[in-house]
Structure formats: C-alpha cells, structure tokens
Amino acid sequence: YRVTLYKYRKWTWTRDLRLAWLIPVIRSGHTSKNNIREFSVDRRNAGRAKGVAGLAWESEGAIHIENLSDITGQCAQATMANYAQLTNVSLQDLEQKTSHSQSFWAVRVETKGEPWGVLVIDTVSPNVSKRKADQAFDNNAEFLSLLLQRA
C-alpha cells in the first residue's frame, strides 16, 4: 500500500484560469516518491477533474476502485483504455507514465469545513479494503484536519 496526500492549489498564471491542481505533498514508501502525478481540477465545471484524486475532490464520499488490470507489461490497447477510463486519466497520459496500481481508495480532506486536498491509497493488490480504509479515515479525520490547518 502507498498513501499520497495531495493539496489543492490555485494556479493563476495558467492560460486556463479555470484550472487548479492537486499537487502531491507527501507519499509513503521509500521507492516511489519521485515522479508522482499532479491532477487538474476545474474550479467552474464539475466533472472535468482528472485522476482518482480528481474524482475524490469532486465527490462527497470516498472513491473506491478495485480489480484493475495489470498494465505494467504488454497488454492490449483496449485494456489500457479501460484502465484509463476507470481511473479518470487520458490514455495518452497513461501510456507516458504507466501505473502499477490495481486498486485505489481516495477521499477529499477538509480543514475548518473547507476542502484542503485529497488522500489517496493505492496498491498493486487487486483489492483494497473499502471498509478498513473508510474506518481508518473516519478514526483519524479530525486529527488530520488539525494537522493540515498549519500546512
């Protein structure tokens, strides 16, 4: 399992002023801290956010995706396209940066009642326990919110 915390950032200098970003702040593990994806979110139009993190940003609850195909080796274009659709990334982005994850759990994180960012759990295992992830987050959400008020 890996846990990645993304922070919402407004980017005013971009050509498209509607776009903001979910930027990785911290990731667990010792081998996969480089080359982490950033995901765009559209401040004006729901449904245009990218990635599992973007889906969680726009959701009122947790996002749970499991049993994704292993796309690390040779696989059919249809398999890649299905993975891209289920994880809400473009096929082109996925081809440039293949994912090893086969399941995800993600939730929007708030501080003082306002959205702050997104917490994503991913694993190479085909299953991440939604019940355990929901329970762990519920048990620690208040503490996490307090920590993030200073971030």
Side-chain angles (χ1 to χ4, degrees), residues 1-4 6 27-29 31-32 52 63-72 83 87 98-106 119-130 132-133:
Y1 291 93
R2 278 189 312 205
V3 179
T4 308
Y6 292 86
R27 173 177 269 180
S28 66
T31 60
S32 59
V52 174
I63 299 297
H64 181 237
I65 303 169
E66 61 182 5
N67 296 315
L68 293 167
S69 299
D70 181 356
I71 58 168
T72 57
Y83 190 104
T87 58
T98 302
S99 175
H100 297 270
S101 301
Q102 289 184 274
S103 58
F104 294 89
W105 181 92
L119 183 73
V120 177
I121 298 172
D122 67 295
T123 178
V124 295
S125 168
N127 302 61
V128 61
S129 172
K130 179 178 177 357
K132 287 181 181 178

Side-chain angles (χ1 to χ4, degrees), residues 48-123:
R48 293 189 58 198
K50 301 297 181 199
V52 174
L55 291 172
W57 176 258
E58 292 184 341
S59 176
E60 292 297 319
I63 299 297
H64 181 237
I65 303 169
E66 61 182 5
N67 296 315
L68 293 167
S69 299
D70 181 356
I71 58 168
T72 57
Q74 294 284 23
C75 67
Q77 188 73 6
T79 302
M80 287 283 281
N82 185 56
Y83 190 104
Q85 180 183 10
L86 291 171
T87 58
N88 200 36
V89 296
S90 73
L91 183 57
Q92 180 183 5
D93 286 348
L94 190 59
E95 288 171 339
Q96 290 176 359
K97 193 177 199 179
T98 302
S99 175
H100 297 270
S101 301
Q102 289 184 274
S103 58
F104 294 89
W105 181 92
V107 66
R108 185 175 62 205
V109 176
E110 297 181 352
T111 62
K112 298 180 183 177
E114 295 294 320
W116 184 92
V118 174
L119 183 73
V120 177
I121 298 172
D122 67 295
T123 178

